[in-house]
Amino acid sequence: MEAPSSILSILCITLIFFSNLVHPTFSELCNPKDKKVLLQIKRAFNNPYVLASWNPDIDCCDWYCVSCHLTTHRINSLTILSDGLPGQIPSEVGDLPYLESLEFHKLPNLTGPIPPAIAKLQNLKSLTISWTNISGYVPDFLSQLKNLTFLDLAFNNLTGSIPASLSLLPNLDALHLDRNKLTGSIPDSFGEFRGKVPSLYLSHNQLSGNIPVSLGKMNFDVIELQRNKLEGDASLIFSGKNKTTQFVDLSRNLLEFDLSEVEFPSTLVSLDLNHNKIKGSLPVGLTALNLQFLNVSYNRLCGQIPMGGKLQSFDNSSYFHNRCLCGAPLESCK
């Protein structure tokens, strides 16, 4: 005899109830909008192995390469490192509005330009796209990301000039544009950074022209301009007792100024000026510095190397190939 349908319904409901006690319903923390966007990003990259953990049946807060905010559970970090990720950066990355950190690093198969959609990420504090094969210009729209404290676009194939508008970023601690194919001059506006003065890394490009006089107004902790085609008086960048500059690398440029007239900041620990057209003599003030590195080779310096401080702790390679520089560790002056 068949049981009435009402009794069967009660039995089914009872079984479902006890089943949920043993296997509770899956409760996902990840925001469904964020999850949908991440799956779109995965498809745009043609479902690469590095994103294999991005399984729609798993809470996306547990996926590899992403992290969620502890209270809001919105995706606040996307970091993809060291894998053969193919294609271009998908525009969908701009649809993760709570991102604070976005990083694509050591991805040689990543190509194309930096997508304008990144300008939508108004909560972004750190943007790293480095050691890739992205190309095109350094986008002007990056100046819209007012919360950025760290911008790293080093080791890419970026071309064109440096946007002057980057000086409008009020919270920037470090700007890395080194090891690209950038041309043109350093923007005058880099002597007018709003708010903080970032450490500036512009080395290994094809920058040319005179060092902007405006840079003398800035107090850079670190400034690296080596291996460009820059000209003029670069001493204004680090000269002055009131500055707190620590690391300066201006090597392998076309710089020409009188080193004997430079007043070094007491905080300076590393100075590299090799392969330029710098004249004059080494100031006695160098003996008062706690230098950890010094290289003034391949210039047009003359006179005796001052005795004292750390100057004699460096070998002759720090001083050789100058016009008439002498004294320890070089040959004695006649």
Side-chain angles (χ1 to χ4, degrees), residues 36 58 74 76 146 200 263 310 316 330:
K36 180 181 179 182
I58 299 174
R74 300 301 299 260
N76 63 0
K146 301 301 183 184
L200 197 58
E263 189 175 35
K310 295 291 187 70
N316 63 356
L330 298 178

Side-chain angles (χ1 to χ4, degrees), residues 15-56:
L15 287 172
I16 292 171
F17 173 76
F18 282 107
S19 176
N20 286 338
L21 288 178
V22 179
H23 303 289
T25 303
F26 173 66
S27 178
E28 186 166 15
L29 295 176
C30 177
N31 183 278
K33 293 181 180 178
D34 289 349
K35 187 173 189 176
K36 180 181 179 182
V37 170
L38 289 172
L39 290 173
Q40 289 172 341
I41 292 172
K42 181 182 179 181
R43 284 194 294 271
F45 279 131
N46 199 25
N47 301 314
Y49 176 76
V50 69
L51 304 182
S53 68
W54 292 19
N55 186 330

